[in-house]
Amino acid sequence: MLADALELGFDFKLQPEIYRARLPPTQIRDLLLSELPDYTSSIEEVLAEFTDTVLPLQGSGTFAL
């Protein structure tokens, strides 16, 4: 599990272009902080959601959490 998370981070950081535009700190905070869900998720689901919503940190404004 740790190896998968590290590989995900390394793959992201080694891309030629990591992000296009940075979000303001308050939007990043709001993206990272959310209510605890009523159901459990597998580590694969958590990593997939993290990859889709947090890693890009693009200014597109289209994030789903």
Side-chain angles (χ1 to χ4, degrees):
M1 177 172 46
L2 178 59
D4 290 341
L6 288 172
E7 184 177 350
L8 177 70
F10 288 138
D11 289 346
F12 175 75
K13 288 301 260 183
L14 292 174
Q15 295 179 98
E17 183 179 329
I18 296 174
Y19 51 77
R20 290 185 199 89
R22 288 206 134 164
L23 293 174
T26 54
Q27 283 184 299
I28 293 172
R29 179 204 62 215
D30 293 344
L31 180 65
L32 293 172
L33 298 177
S34 63
E35 295 293 321
L36 291 175
D38 293 331
Y39 58 91
T40 60
S41 300
S42 69
I43 189 65
E44 291 82 10
E45 291 170 324
V46 171
L47 290 176
E49 181 177 354
F50 183 80
T51 301
D52 293 341
T53 60
V54 177
L55 281 186
L57 293 180
Q58 297 181 57
S60 66
T62 56
F63 296 102
L65 248 184

